Amino acid sequence: MAISYNKLWKLLIDKGMTKTQMRLRADISTTTLAKLGKNETVSMDVLLKICKLLDCNVGDIMDVINEETSNGDK
């Protein structure tokens, strides 16, 4: 399974907010922001902080990609 936060970056653009502004307002660390930028896993607490800030649901900021299915394997 892979994670993509592309939806988050698009939402930030739509709201006119930078990644740094989001980080500061959501009170998340620079390390966590770097993990988001690399599509790495972060805690549910972090995702909920971002969702609260952006007034959205988790599905609005991330996708879980089944690598096996996307590669045609089962």
Side-chain angles (χ1 to χ4, degrees), residues 8 11-13 19 23 28 33-34 56 65 69-70 74:
L8 171 60
L11 188 57
L12 287 179
I13 291 168
K19 292 178 183 180
R23 182 185 70 77
I28 60 176
L33 183 60
C56 66
I65 303 160
T69 302
S70 64
K74 288 198 173 188

Side-chain angles (χ1 to χ4, degrees), residues 49-61:
K49 284 181 182 182
I50 294 170
C51 287
K52 183 176 180 181
L53 172 69
L54 300 176
D55 190 29
C56 66
N57 292 310
V58 174
D60 296 328
I61 62 171

Side-chain angles (χ1 to χ4, degrees), residues 11-29:
L11 188 57
L12 287 179
I13 291 168
D14 291 345
K15 292 190 177 270
M17 186 182 298
T18 67
K19 292 178 183 180
T20 300
Q21 289 170 330
M22 178 202 67
R23 182 185 70 77
L24 294 171
R25 292 181 190 170
D27 192 29
I28 60 176
S29 71

